Amino acid sequence: MKLLVVLAAFVAFCAGSPAHLVPGDNSHYVEGESRYIWMPDGTGVPHLVDLLEKPSDEDITRISRNGANNEYWLYTRQNPDNYQLLVHGDVNSIANSNYVANRPLKVIVHGWNSNGHSTINPMITAAFLNVQDCNVIVVDWNRLANSLYWTAVIGVPGVGAHLGNFLVWLINTAGGNWNNVHLVGFSLGAHVVGNAGRAAGNRPARITGLDPAGPNWGGNSNALRSTDAQYVECIHTDGGLLGIFDPIGATNFYPNGGRNPQPGCWISTCSHSRAYELFASSIHNNHFVGRLCTDLQEARNVGCTGGVALNMGNSIISKRGGGLYGLTTNRSWPF
Ligand SMILES: *[C@@H]1O[C@H](CO)[C@@H](O)[C@H](O)[C@H]1NC(C)=O
């Protein structure tokens, strides 16, 4: 009997959704049509997400205030492993920290089902501190990020606005220079940093969007835009599945066609996470040379051979540019 119930549930699941049953495999997914998609959590473990599951009205009220739950964790070469908590409005939290106003400022924002300790944060923090004496602020927005996917999507503008307002306060209070500010966001975090840039009057020097989240973001006016900072770059690695394929940055890199499977990956969740691994490696090595593409189709087909070259990623704050770029990478670190 018990087996029958399980079997019935299984059959209902298969009939009710086109979702593939191999965790992390999104080969069934059709943008704008499919209801289910696998998404990785902060350690890369796939979870099946129902894209139609909407938050309740009560949740939406709670979400609108949720950016107030952001935490800002400062890492520097003086404290590379243990963060110091910076609190919006609390001058002493800055004065008693290792924040130094004339250093470059890097901000890292994680994606869905993650937190400030998720892999992306120590990986990119270590890379920045390896090459530059800088302030790195990891944004932890775990309470909203660990809600239903739709809830997290609706919360993104508020989380971003709070981050932007915090940065304005930080720089006005403790000093700093917008031309030294680099915001980095992965997946939903890419849309968070876009909203942060807008709240800060588009003043940050650079935004790097690491495979900006795709589901529910096509044509969404709250998505990352090419004007949210002085220079906005996107690195697309799982376009059309977990990532958005559209060139929403000023410069858009499409390593290995910008889609699943990335070299060494079998599944979409792996290809999605590859975006922050490539970026971390680019900070250490600055070895990824993109070639200009004539159009998106050429980028998709790994056919870009244009004479204009631009390096993908890196930590150079004065970096500028525009257009579509393609390149190939290897299957394992440093790729
Ligand atoms: C990939 O590996 C090959 C062989 O080791 C190397 O020549 C090439 O430069 C690597 N590609 C990148 C993008 O570093």
Side-chain angles (χ1 to χ4, degrees), residues 35 58 85 93 158-159 195 253 258 266 275 307:
R35 174 165 183 180
E58 190 186 321
L85 184 67
S93 73
V159 170
N195 284 276
F253 285 93
W266 292 101

Side-chain angles (χ1 to χ4, degrees), residues 72 86-91 93-94 162 164-170:
Y72 307 108
L86 305 182
V87 180
H88 191 169
D90 179 354
V91 179
S93 73
I94 317 271
H162 274 81
N165 294 339
F166 165 75
L167 293 172
V168 169
W169 172 79
L170 175 69

Side-chain angles (χ1 to χ4, degrees), residues 177-183 202-207 228-232 316-320:
N177 182 341
W178 289 107
N179 294 329
N180 265 337
V181 176
H182 186 172
L183 313 180
N202 307 7
R203 286 175 289 179
R206 264 186 85 170
I207 283 179
D228 289 339
Q230 297 176 45
Y231 172 65
V232 177
I316 300 167
I317 197 67
S318 58
K319 186 179 188 183
R320 298 291 182 269

Side-chain angles (χ1 to χ4, degrees), residues 208-243:
T208 302
L210 301 171
D211 210 30
N216 301 342
W217 288 100
N220 184 331
S221 64
N222 292 317
L224 172 65
R225 298 176 198 161
S226 62
T227 51
D228 289 339
Q230 297 176 45
Y231 172 65
V232 177
E233 176 174 312
C234 292
I235 299 177
H236 303 270
T237 54
D238 193 37
L241 296 176
L242 293 169

Side-chain angles (χ1 to χ4, degrees), residues 28-39:
H28 67 278
Y29 182 77
V30 180
E31 202 169 8
E33 286 178 24
S34 301
R35 174 165 183 180
Y36 295 94
I37 192 165
W38 291 98
M39 291 191 186

